[in-house]
Amino acid sequence: MPATPFSCLYLIHQPRFNSYFNPLFRSLTYQLSTSPLSFNGIKFTAARVHSSLSPAAETESPSGGGGGGRSGGLSPGPVVAGEVQRIDVNPPKGTRDFPPEEMRLRNWLFNNFKEVSRLYGFEEVDFPVLENEALFTRKAGEEIKDQLYCFEDRGNRRVALRPELTPSLARLVIQKGKSVPLPLKWFTVGQCWRYERMTRGRRREHYQWNMDIIGVPGVMAEAELISSIVTLFKRIGIKESDVGFKISSRKVLQEVLKCYSIPESLFGKVCVIIDKIEKIPVDEVKKELMAAGVSQEAVQQLLQVLSVKSLTELEEKLGSGGEAISDLKQLFSLAEKFGYSEWIQFDASVVRGLAYYTGIVFEGFDREGKLRAICGGGRYDRLFSTFGADDIPACGFGFGDAVVVELLREKGLLPDLSLQLDYIVCALDEDLQGPAAMVARVLREKGQSVDLVLESKPLKWVFKRAARNNAQRLVLVGSSEWQRGVVGVKILATGEQYEVKLDELM
């Protein structure tokens, strides 16, 4: 093969020739930078020669071909990437991180949720965070429709992050059908997502404790649920002077609307509008009600009834023969038997914002009025038919984690949940790390919590770590002690020290 310029370039691209030719072409590159050369009518510049010496050109391609003729040999070198952009280290707006101290608080609260549920004989269930969007778009006009985190997945299915737990519960009950005997007493603690305006205690991502009773038509079910929330409050240090429950019934509105021949189909929409009564001016509520088809006269009567704060006054307006008055009287009577009558009060303006409620509704509220509703729930006897199944009497509540934590903080009731360790184990010499690991294993097998020092550290560092992690005892593994079959133990609270055999460690 004649020694043409291109044959030289070919040889340069072979790894075994690089060590010889690279110095030569560095010199050639310098010459070309001052005076370009031509070979067979093709002009070469420094840039073109330099590109053939790039690391990419000197390395074999993934396919093993080492280039591909003229275009491969003269291809541009790799582009030098700019600096990596720093990410925003904050979580998305409305969401939270849970570092260890926050995770301890969350676990403490969730454990209280679960223990109260256990005390009341409820069984735990859970559902996917991602559900079919149709599960949450039952009724037009519900605020929740505009708060969905929803999208189309790769299978062209409309899905949504669950904004609440009750529809998922209903779906599971329908799925199980007659394989589960009624009544059901189920609870869950799950993550929910709503794209909404954030206020204190209201986030776009939160956890919610739900308890539901399926298959009990009487008010005893609602009385039991409110009792469970009161029990939770008492367990975490909240008193009736801190919070209360506003109680009403959707049947109150039904009776008023029937007087004015308002169609049943408007009932849910009217409830959604009335639920805004503390969020927007009353005049706006009136406008929305009339726009929905409620007459001006009915609106006036409705607002008068909603201002009622006692059962006696309500009975004077509606009479004593209706279901609403009967149910409410029974609930207040049961509250005395359960022992929480001082926690509850009648308030006709409570309707709850979800369209599926049908009877008694309730909300837990901060008596100082600094926070939004702490929890809420009620009866939803006609939810199942909106999913195409036969209706089953049901009631339940949702209790968010963020608001109650704000309340505990406000009242100075947040518990001290610092890390607590039984032992910290440290090897005094690097070659004793194996024996130290053995000590840690023995203690852990006995159920003790152990922080094993994984590196060679000075004792000053070990004592600081023990204090920071509230370790009760320090085990020191020393050479002479280990040869005698013992380890040194120091009780950190008192300073007492002693030696003990490995199998006697507790």
Side-chain angles (χ1 to χ4, degrees):
M1 181 175 181
T4 64
F6 281 110
S7 67
C8 291
L9 290 172
Y10 172 80
L11 291 174
I12 290 167
H13 281 291
Q14 308 311 305
R16 66 177 180 271
F17 290 104
N18 282 348
S19 63
Y20 173 76
F21 278 105
N22 278 351
L24 173 64
F25 264 75
R26 290 192 190 98
S27 174
L28 177 59
T29 300
Y30 173 76
Q31 295 177 35
L32 289 176
S33 67
T34 57
S35 54
L37 300 179
S38 329
F39 295 96
N40 293 338
I42 302 175
K43 185 176 288 187
F44 286 84
T45 65
R48 294 185 73 179
V49 175
H50 179 70
S51 70
S52 69
L53 300 176
S54 66
E58 294 179 8
T59 306
E60 288 188 356
S61 70
S63 62
R70 189 178 303 178
S71 61
L74 301 178
S75 62
V79 178
V80 178
E83 289 187 12
V84 175
Q85 185 178 359
R86 293 174 67 106
I87 66 165
D88 183 355
V89 296
N90 295 309
K93 189 173 181 180
T95 66
R96 296 165 288 174
D97 290 319
F98 289 91
E101 63 278 7
E102 295 294 333
M103 199 65 196
R104 290 195 291 270
L105 178 59
R106 191 179 101 177
N107 286 337
W108 170 81
L109 182 61
F110 288 11
N111 287 339
N112 275 289
F113 289 160
K114 293 180 179 183
E115 178 59 14
V116 170
S117 301
R118 185 193 70 80
L119 291 173
Y120 280 73
F122 282 64
E123 292 188 284
E124 187 171 12
V125 294
D126 200 2
F127 330 99
V129 173
L130 189 68
E131 290 274 19
N132 292 320
E133 183 184 39
L135 197 64
F136 307 108
T137 55
R138 306 164 302 275
K139 301 279 187 180
E142 284 190 322
E143 186 181 35
I144 202 169
K145 288 186 64 176
D146 300 322
Q147 298 173 347
L148 288 178
Y149 280 88
C150 52
F151 57 95
E152 193 172 272
D153 69 9
R154 293 188 179 184
N156 300 319
R157 294 171 288 261
R158 294 294 304 175
V159 292
L161 297 177
R162 63 188 183 198
E164 55 166 327
L165 298 169
T166 307
S168 296
L169 171 83
R171 177 186 56 73
L172 181 58
V173 172
I174 294 169
Q175 178 199 115
K176 289 297 181 183
K178 294 182 179 179
S179 66
V180 286
L182 299 179
L184 303 176
K185 295 174 72 176
W186 285 355
F187 84 95
T188 188
V189 180
Q191 191 180 38
C192 298
W193 296 80
R194 288 194 188 190
Y195 192 89
E196 59 182 339
R197 184 176 65 87
M198 292 182 296
T199 58
R200 187 180 176 194
R202 181 186 291 267
R203 300 179 181 274
R204 291 173 179 169
E205 166 267 344
H206 70 282
Y207 288 84
Q208 191 164 297
W209 172 41
N210 272 38
M211 291 178 71
D212 292 85
I213 299 175
I214 313 296
V216 176
V219 177
M220 190 73 175
E222 287 94 324
E224 172 97 325
L225 290 173
I226 296 171
S227 175
S228 68
I229 304 173
V230 170
T231 299
L232 182 278
F233 282 143
K234 289 179 177 179
R235 284 180 63 90
I236 62 178
I238 293 173
K239 302 174 183 177
E240 65 271 19
S241 57
D242 301 319
V243 301
F245 293 88
K246 297 176 182 178
I247 312 287
S248 188
S249 173
R250 284 277 183 96
K251 293 176 181 177
V252 171
L253 297 182
Q254 283 180 314
E255 291 182 22
V256 175
L257 294 177
K258 279 180 184 177
C259 294
Y260 293 91
S261 303
I262 305 298
E264 180 72 19
S265 58
L266 283 180
F267 178 67
K269 192 172 184 180
V270 168
C271 289
V272 170
I273 296 169
I274 291 172
D275 188 55
K276 303 175 185 178
I277 206 162
E278 293 184 355
K279 305 171 188 175
I280 63 175
V282 175
D283 287 342
E284 290 297 317
V285 173
K286 290 178 181 178
K287 287 179 184 178
E288 288 195 28
L289 286 171
M290 287 189 284
V294 182
S295 68
Q296 186 173 358
E297 186 182 3
V299 168
Q300 289 298 123
Q301 178 65 21
L302 197 55
L303 293 177
Q304 283 183 19
V305 171
L306 293 176
S307 66
V308 171
K309 304 298 181 185
S310 76
L311 272 178
T312 303
E313 188 181 351
L314 180 68
E315 194 169 359
E316 290 173 0
K317 287 185 175 293
L318 299 182
S320 58
E323 287 185 7
I325 297 294
S326 175
D327 289 348
L328 288 165
K329 280 184 172 181
Q330 186 181 358
L331 178 60
F332 276 80
S333 175
L334 288 168
E336 292 182 11
K337 308 300 187 297
F338 275 102
Y340 60 80
S341 56
E342 68 277 13
W343 293 73
I344 66 173
Q345 63 190 59
F346 176 73
D347 188 333
S349 67
V350 175
V351 294
R352 305 292 296 158
L354 295 167
Y356 54 68
Y357 287 117
T358 56
I360 284 177
V361 286
F362 54 87
E363 283 184 357
F365 70 97
D366 162 30
R367 291 195 187 273
E368 291 187 2
K370 295 181 179 180
L371 300 169
R372 61 179 289 256
I374 302 166
C375 59
R379 180 159 291 277
Y380 52 92
D381 286 349
R382 292 197 289 274
L383 175 61
F384 292 88
S385 61
T386 65
F387 300 135
D390 293 333
D391 277 323
I392 308 171
C395 60
F397 69 79
F399 190 117
D401 69 317
V403 185
V404 73
V405 167
E406 288 296 323
L407 179 64
L408 290 168
R409 186 174 286 114
E410 181 76 24
K411 301 294 181 183
L413 294 171
L414 286 176
D416 179 11
L417 297 170
S418 53
L419 179 63
Q420 301 287 333
L421 286 173
D422 295 318
Y423 285 91
I424 184 167
V425 176
C426 175
L428 292 178
D429 298 309
E430 192 169 352
D431 58 358
L432 290 172
Q433 287 182 335
M438 187 185 304
V439 172
R441 173 179 60 82
V442 169
L443 287 169
R444 288 165 178 163
E445 287 175 349
K446 293 179 178 180
Q448 303 295 305
S449 58
V450 180
D451 179 21
L452 174 62
V453 178
L454 301 174
E455 302 172 272
S456 181
K457 292 288 187 181
L459 276 178
K460 184 178 179 181
W461 183 95
V462 175
F463 277 104
K464 283 184 177 179
R465 183 172 180 86
R468 186 168 58 248
N469 292 342
N470 295 302
Q472 294 181 27
R473 291 177 173 83
L474 168 63
V475 177
L476 295 173
V477 183
S479 179
S480 62
E481 291 86 357
W482 189 254
Q483 289 176 6
R484 290 187 285 114
V486 298
V487 293
V489 178
K490 184 180 182 72
I491 300 175
L492 295 170
T494 65
E496 179 188 350
Q497 298 182 193
Y498 57 91
E499 291 182 351
V500 64
K501 291 181 180 180
L502 181 60
D503 59 358
E504 294 176 359
L505 267 174
M506 289 297 294

